[in-house]
Amino acid sequence: MNLAHFLLAATDAAALLAAHPLRWLAVVLTFLVAVEALMLIPRIGFVLKVAVAGVATAGVMAQFAGAAAGQAPSVLGWLAAFTWPVGEQAVLALAALLPFAFGVAYLQWSQGPSATRFFFGRIRRDAPPPRDAFLRFKVVMQLASLPLIWVTGAVVLQGLSGLSALGVALSAVGANLLAVALIGLMAVGFEGLTARLPAVLPKPVALAVVVVSLLPFLGWSFALLYTTSAQVFGAGA
């Protein structure tokens, strides 16, 4: 995928979002609330959140594939992904959990065991890692996720599962390095920008800005992941 193809995918993503802006906002909101609520479960909440998000993201991509074919998105339509074959759900969860494991390993190495307690304890009791360390954790996660970026498309658009989906996704990275790099830059840039807001704005204002900006950014990320995956796998956006 060259720059022209990537820009075409970005244009297609914007068009899909513009066709049903309020519905997509509702889709993203229900996704976010459902996934983030899992963090409240002691001990396993974060791991469960990450795994569920991997499967749910594929459900959202399927919604975008339907929208590209003329269907209106359903607010809770992404839940259908949890009825898919076990092999498909397993590889989606694995592709989400591996970057998380890299991030946790980085924190363990750089900050010590206390820095990872937040992810395996109780979020209301255990403090998160220091702000800069937490940001680096997120960056490591983002970078580690890039080689696996096409797994969702391999499942949703190619109907693959298990090692087949993983192999096809990995082989697609080399031919689409520019798209992988640009998507990675956007994700890391957003994380870095939102992490710095409390340093320049009052904390309540910074929190409000993050919450308000997260919904459209996540919607845009979902849409772009679909349209770029459609380019990669020849599905047509």
Side-chain angles (χ1 to χ4, degrees), residues 6 9-11 13 150 183 186 219-229:
F6 183 84
T11 301
W150 308 125
I183 292 173
M186 283 190 291
W220 165 253
S221 298
F222 284 144
L224 188 62
L225 180 61
Y226 164 68
T227 55
T228 52
S229 295

Side-chain angles (χ1 to χ4, degrees), residues 1-27:
M1 186 187 309
N2 57 30
L3 182 58
H5 290 149
F6 183 84
L7 293 175
L8 178 60
T11 301
D12 290 339
L16 288 172
L17 291 170
H20 302 282
L22 295 181
R23 281 179 181 254
W24 287 124
L25 190 64
V27 169

Side-chain angles (χ1 to χ4, degrees), residues 83-153:
T83 67
W84 296 355
V86 172
E88 294 181 1
Q89 295 191 53
V91 73
L92 291 166
L94 177 65
L97 287 169
L98 283 176
F100 176 69
F102 273 99
V104 169
Y106 166 76
L107 272 182
Q108 181 89 7
W109 169 75
S110 64
Q111 302 291 314
S114 61
T116 62
R117 191 174 298 127
F118 175 72
F119 302 105
F120 305 104
R122 297 174 182 269
I123 64 169
R124 293 179 177 176
R125 180 195 66 191
D126 299 311
R131 187 181 65 186
D132 287 346
F134 207 174
L135 175 59
R136 291 193 295 271
F137 159 80
K138 292 180 179 179
V139 170
V140 168
M141 273 190 64
Q142 293 286 357
L143 295 177
S145 72
L146 294 180
L148 303 168
I149 194 169
W150 308 125
V151 169
T152 307

Side-chain angles (χ1 to χ4, degrees), residues 32-104:
L32 201 58
V33 170
V35 168
E36 294 297 323
L38 295 173
M39 290 193 302
L40 298 175
I41 301 175
R43 307 294 182 189
I44 63 169
F46 254 98
V47 174
L48 189 60
K49 166 195 167 181
V50 173
V52 166
V55 178
T57 296
V60 176
M61 179 182 284
Q63 292 257 77
F64 275 105
Q71 302 172 18
S74 169
V75 174
L76 295 176
W78 53 270
L79 288 171
F82 295 95
T83 67
W84 296 355
V86 172
E88 294 181 1
Q89 295 191 53
V91 73
L92 291 166
L94 177 65
L97 287 169
L98 283 176
F100 176 69
F102 273 99
V104 169

